[in-house]
Amino acid sequence: MAARPGAPGWTTLADMRAASLRAWSSGELLRETAAPAGLFPRRRALRHPTATQLRTDYARAGAWAATWNPVPRGCSLEFVTVGANTIGANRLPSVVVFACAADEVAFLGLSREAQRFADLAQRVAALDSTLQAWALRRPLELLKHGEDALTAARVAIWLAANPAPGMYLRQLSLPGVHTKFVETHRRLIDDMVATLEPRRPLAGKNYARRHGFLAAPDRVRLRFLDAAQAPVPGMTDLEVTGAAFASLAVDVDRIITTENLANFLALPPAPRTLAVFGGGYGFEGLREAAWLRETEVLYWGDLDTHGFHILDQLRSHHPHVRSILMDEETLLAHRDFWGREDTPTRAALSHLTPAESAVYADLQAGSHQPSLRLEQELLRWDYVLARLP
């Protein structure tokens, strides 16, 4: 039976390759090829057979040593003499030496990729010398995106030079750049902008507004539950911009806000009442509507942690907002429809009533069921109608 080339604890070529791959995957090797920082020559010690192991399993030890002959590409070996006083002097590999980063790259067989990185880094730096620092910090990102990284760099340079363009992103005219390209490479572009303008804040969920572009206005959908109040006979369901809603000042006594379209459409007629729809966290249009302070505002959301988070945000702008159908009684009355919330929020909410806070805490703690969620659309309609104010 042929002797196995390795034994537990002896460094194999695969072990050495794994160590070098970690250096590659961290970007260290590519950085060292472009801007040496004194890490080379690098010596990686080999765990080799001891004198005792030579005596007890000489064939296996010999087979292990043979795996290092010929010497792997890109490195040299240092040797040590083992067993001179017991079994006889045996010369074994003890250290792998990489003279430079390029040699360790060659050992991995990635010289072509390293050359491609060097070319891309040079071209990025030619666009703006500041981006050389980005290329060294994100070498694998540069390799991953290739030519797209150069296009992204042109966008980043333009954004850095035009912090408030005051136009729509669609109007940006740069070679190879279109709206979908920017949307697809947002993180890459922002990373470059942060390198070019490290003091520039890059915050906000809306990417266009973050960079000073015009953005589609927030929109608010309305239903006049009192047909007599419709602005035009028969026009009971309409949509306006958030700014228009803020200045609308509709003459109603009550507003019912819901984040579910089915509920919004099914709400029954009611005197001097307006229904407002906003999907998920989409109640931005209501925040600037000062006229709401003189109107009763009801919020109906899902019975889950995010439903209470939305309520909390809405109430931070309009403290008099009152929740409906978001209580423990409603939750327990619909056990058959309990579902699961995929990513519950753990946010600390400071604008809930004591009763709401108790339900929110129970949902966070999984008191009734882990990650419990009751969608508002699943409530029995007769139950809803009996409890609508």
Side-chain angles (χ1 to χ4, degrees), residues 221-280:
R221 185 170 176 181
L222 316 172
R223 271 191 68 219
F224 289 88
L225 302 186
D226 186 341
Q229 291 186 294
V232 176
M235 190 181 291
T236 58
D237 189 333
L238 66 153
E239 187 175 84
V240 298
T241 65
F245 181 81
S247 61
L248 200 57
V250 182
D251 182 23
V252 294
D253 297 331
R254 180 177 60 173
I255 290 178
I256 302 176
T257 62
T258 178
E259 52 176 305
N260 181 274
L261 181 59
N263 286 343
F264 169 80
L265 296 173
L267 285 170
R272 297 185 58 77
T273 301
L274 181 71
V276 175
F277 168 67

Side-chain angles (χ1 to χ4, degrees), residues 4-22 44-49 60-61 63-70 72 75 77 93-96 98 107-108:
R4 288 176 292 170
W10 300 349
T11 304
T12 65
L13 272 169
D15 295 331
M16 189 58 58
R17 180 176 174 81
S20 293
L21 276 174
R22 286 192 293 271
R44 293 192 188 276
L46 295 175
R47 295 184 298 276
H48 54 76
R60 182 186 291 183
W64 173 84
T67 64
W68 294 96
N69 186 24
C75 67
L77 295 179
S94 62
V95 178
V96 169
F98 298 105
F107 169 72
L108 290 171

